[in-house]
Amino acid sequence: MAQYEAVIGLEVHIELKTDTKIFCHSSTEFGAVANRHVCPVCLGLPGVLPVVNKKAVEYAIKAGLALNCRIASFSKFDRKNYYYPDLPKNYQISQYDLPIAEHGHLKININGTDKRIGITRVHMEEDAGKLVHQGTPSTTPYSLVDYNRTGVPLIEIVSEPDMRSADEAVAYLEKLKAIIQYTGVSDCKMQEGSLRCDANISVRPVGQAELGTRAELKNMNSFKALHKAVTYEIERQIKLVQSGERVIQETRTWDDSKGVTLSMRSKEEAHDYRYFPDPDLAPLVIDQRWVDEIKAGLPELPDERRARFVSEYKLPEYDAMVLTATRELADYYEQCVQLFNNPKLVSNWVMGDLARMMNASGREIGDVLISPAQLAEMLQLMDKGTISGKIAKTVFEEMFNTGKDPGKVVEEKGLVQISDAALIDKVVDEVIAANPKSVEDYRAGKEKVIGFLVGQVMKATTGKANPGMVNKLLKEKLS
Amino acid sequence: MELNYLTAHQLHDMLVSKEVSAEEIIRAVFDRVEQVEDKIRAYITLNKEQAVARARLVDKARAGGEYLPPLAGIPVAVKDNICTNGIRTTCASKILYNYIPPYDATVMERLNACRAVLVGKTNMDEFAMGSSCENSAFFSTCNPWDTGRVPGGSSGGSAAAVAAGETVLALGSDTGGSIRQPASFCGVVGMKPTYGAVSRYGLVAYASSLDQIGPLARDVTDCALLLNVICGHDPLDSTSAPYNVPDYTSFLNGDIKGMKIGVPREYMGQGIDAAVKDIIYKAIDVYTGLGAVVEETTLPHTEYALPAYYLIAPAEASSNLARYDGVRYGYRAKDAADIVDMFMQTRSEGFGPEVKRRIMLGTYALSAGYYDAYYNKALKVRTLIKADFDRAFEQFDLLLAPTAPVTAFRRGEKLDDPLQMYMVDICTLAVNLAGIPAISIPAGMAHNLPVGLQLMGRPFGEGDILRAAYAFEQNTDHHRKLPQ
């Protein structure tokens, strides 16, 4: 039976983090009371006109540059006409044939190998509002509309169909998100809808150049959902083709609760958007000097930062990749290293205990209560021998939950390490006296037993005895 | 003569010299409205209470020794597609019959800033689509010269209000001749400024790339005074031009010696009423007599202006009018089954036949598979028409032509024949496609009805146009004639 491969391209919508909307001065603040941030322009009232927000254009150019695109010197806005109650003008101002940026790419890493994914285009558009459905059609025979989001600037980033698996699609989206976040033009919060992703998927027998019929997948609100949806859709299409049926060109939605994709509309029902140049907006003539200025202001991007982490901090490639996945995490790491110059130890804590507790609590790096300075302080306490590595884990957990300074946690919980030789000596004697069988085994050559005895001493001191000293003393006394 | 028949500059002088108060002026206007409005029907909404209050404020300011700008206390009527904060703005459409804008159009803000007094909102063809003021969803306006005839369209209400003495000044909008053609039919001065000279912010869009707000007045001086107020860059309109607005009255000195005026032969050929043509030839004689050099010229693509206009304007209109769907404001159909049904019923019931015709035309012209054959082709024609004018203005300062091929026609005469109706704007359309300025001034009478003379100029050449129009006015008395 023929082997099949998937061909995947992603369309990603990203809200730009400007203070005001793309064509007016209304605020873009998220989460405000419904219809608080609206004006005649974003409501599309009769007679109003759009005026483009220069900052939004700058951000779109910045994103385009970060994605290695060519920036157009001449670009324009077009109208995309369709009817929907959340679209006040019943057309969306978008860009059709002359997008602001084209021909870019980014690199993803799959199983240690770099792969280049092409970016077809980046174009600007305005966001639509949001319908709020209350109750059921029988209890509330109407829906409400919130226009706060209407006119928030968006960029749509369209990839080439260069991905071949769900893993690659997720890796692409993660990398795209990281790059955009690094530039600072968007916070890319999927849960707030500031990053939204659609996927075009088709399958074909391996070796065939021609593309199969594609389906467009919508409504995937997390990386996990993207992975599951793409996997499901690839399998669905392969099954269809294998059983001799054909894939229909259509738009499908991902139902996360059922774990399936469902048909939304077929090509036959597809819109004719009747695009034409928006006569209310002059074309965008973009000065190369402005582009150069924006380019000069681009921050270090994930790939560059990863390479620097390897060379500057001598970190393993893997550590560098994980730590630079988001700008916030990389910033956190570097701030900590500035204060505690042991890059690998810091990396171990950030990738280990910190990442584990973040996962368990669902917190993101921005919401973590431990500051880089506090983590550095804790590592110093460990370094000075004030606390043991084991105690450090306890201290860290308390810091993570409360945000308290490490010194304060140690003090409150009485966690200072016991390095008093006389005191340890006394406990060691007691443990030796209480475990004659183990002592005998050790002396008979079972050196592993020492671990048990150390453990007994630690237990007796509730973990506070300096483990190095305990080890040394035990060995002396038993030899 | 009654106050309401005087010009703005005469009234201003009388206000400054305290011969008259602003309240007396506005009351004279409303007295006239009371007297003739049921015959003329120029206004959709009257603004009497607020107007009188505003006039009193002007009088108070005058009493306090404040400087009175030229239009302070001057009554102005405004076409009902220009948004007025708190005052109903209907576009003469059922779909906006109850719509009250929460903001002022930029031109309204400028009028308010110079203390002009809003008389009311004037009738028009629905969404400015029409050439006779008969496409209003509410009622038709009558021509003050002969109430059995149309005032022209679509700014017919504004033109009729000026001609009938129901206001002193008025604003209209001109997409394909909608200021100049009714000015011609009603025997008043009407001007379409250069595209970008006047902010469109707050003008309810018909065809964005063609629409322009402009003045209607009793003489050229008043036209210049109103231009002085409404022209100028507006940061709220991306298509508004950043330029230094001159004092347009400074061009009114009568000196046109050596001015080169071209007469495009395409505007004097078939389809132009012989009596209208005769009056235009007489106007040419006046100019020659004043020392201007008048020669025949050609604008070879003129015959394509009408088809190009009727693709571009409806295409933009189909998109601009999409927002009237019953969701947020205006008319909403009752008892719709679902949202799509509500959209369809609202628009079916809310729009009149001419608006629907143009929405369908435009939707078709923009649809996939026809875009290149129609819309795109029309844009190319537009470029050729613009190039015709550019070439002509290398040789001539102005172009001269009739404003309309005929005088005001009978009401109902062309209502059942849209193509006949479209032909009435044949002399004005190309100006909008090219974006240049043009004026219509009274040039005489034919069939006992006014005939308009059209003068077209270079982009931002309003000054040249006003200079020539004023010179003509100073040497004739057509503008002084009043309808009985």
Side-chain angles (χ1 to χ4, degrees), chain A residues 332-352:
Chain A
Y332 186 96
Y333 171 78
E334 285 211 273
Q335 282 166 28
C336 199
V337 169
Q338 299 292 316
L339 300 165
F340 185 78
N341 190 16
N342 184 338
K344 181 56 186 156
L345 186 62
V346 174
S347 169
N348 289 347
W349 275 88
V350 172
M351 288 172 56

Side-chain angles (χ1 to χ4, degrees), chain A residues 46-47 50 79 81 83 88 90 272, chain B residues 103 202 238 320 322 325 328 347 368:
Chain A
R79 291 186 185 174
N81 294 282
Y83 280 82
N90 286 319
D272 174 1
Chain B
Y103 74 101
S238 313
N320 282 334
D325 58 8
R328 295 161 300 276
R347 291 169 65 80

Side-chain angles (χ1 to χ4, degrees), chain A residues 105-124:
Chain A
H105 62 86
L106 58 72
K107 261 189 252 160
I108 58 171
N109 191 287
I110 292 292
N111 304 323
T113 317
D114 277 346
K115 180 173 177 180
R116 190 176 144 128
I117 308 291
I119 307 266
T120 316
R121 57 186 274 158
V122 178
H123 73 248
M124 305 179 68

Side-chain angles (χ1 to χ4, degrees), chain B residues 70-144:
Chain B
L71 296 191
I74 304 299
V76 183
V78 171
K79 189 175 181 178
D80 209 24
N81 60 352
I82 294 170
C83 286
T84 39
N85 193 353
I87 300 169
R88 190 163 87 113
T89 299
T90 70
C91 291
S93 181
K94 183 178 171 185
I95 216 157
L96 283 178
Y97 74 107
N98 61 356
Y99 177 67
I100 297 173
Y103 74 101
D104 268 325
T106 297
V107 290
M108 269 317 298
E109 287 203 338
R110 292 187 177 190
L111 283 177
N112 288 335
C114 73
R115 307 188 127 164
V117 177
L118 176 70
V119 182
K121 306 296 291 294
T122 54
N123 197 21
M124 55 188 280
D125 288 298
E126 185 177 356
F127 282 104
M129 297 176 189
S131 308
S132 67
C133 222
E134 294 167 292
N135 290 333
S136 167
F138 307 136
F139 48 82
S140 304
T141 298
C142 301
N143 191 314

Side-chain angles (χ1 to χ4, degrees), chain B residues 389-445:
Chain B
F389 280 108
D390 288 345
R391 259 193 308 275
F393 288 125
E394 280 169 20
Q395 205 184 335
F396 299 103
D397 299 308
L398 293 176
L399 297 175
L400 180 156
T403 306
V406 292
T407 49
F409 47 90
R410 291 196 177 282
R411 294 170 55 199
E413 192 182 317
K414 296 181 197 289
L415 259 187
D416 299 327
D417 191 344
L419 282 179
Q420 268 287 311
M421 190 75 99
Y422 297 167
M423 295 297 284
V424 180
D425 292 335
I426 198 86
C427 300
T428 49
L429 292 170
V431 159
N432 297 76
L433 290 170
I436 60 172
I439 202 168
S440 177
I441 53 174
M445 303 288 285

Side-chain angles (χ1 to χ4, degrees), chain A residues 31-45:
Chain A
V33 175
N35 295 307
R36 161 77 48 94
H37 298 313
V38 297
C39 75
V41 175
C42 54
L43 285 176
L45 293 186

Side-chain angles (χ1 to χ4, degrees), chain A residues 40-41 43-52 79 81 83-85 87-91 145 147 272 274-277 279-282, chain B residues 83 99 102-103 200-204 208 235-239 316 319-320 322-325 328-329 339 343 347 363 366-368 371 375:
Chain A
V41 175
L43 285 176
L45 293 186
V48 297
L49 296 169
V51 177
V52 72
R79 291 186 185 174
N81 294 282
Y83 280 82
Y84 208 69
L87 190 65
K89 303 183 291 292
N90 286 319
Y91 62 78
V145 202
Y147 291 109
D272 174 1
R274 290 175 286 113
Y275 279 101
F276 76 108
D280 288 331
L281 285 158
Chain B
C83 286
Y99 177 67
Y103 74 101
R200 290 186 297 115
Y201 189 79
L203 169 66
V204 180
S208 309
L236 296 178
D237 177 357
S238 313
T239 63
E316 294 182 12
S319 176
N320 282 334
R323 71 192 65 193
Y324 309 108
D325 58 8
R328 295 161 300 276
Y329 48 77
I339 183 74
F343 285 159
R347 291 169 65 80
T363 303
L366 287 178
S367 57
Y371 182 92
Y375 180 74

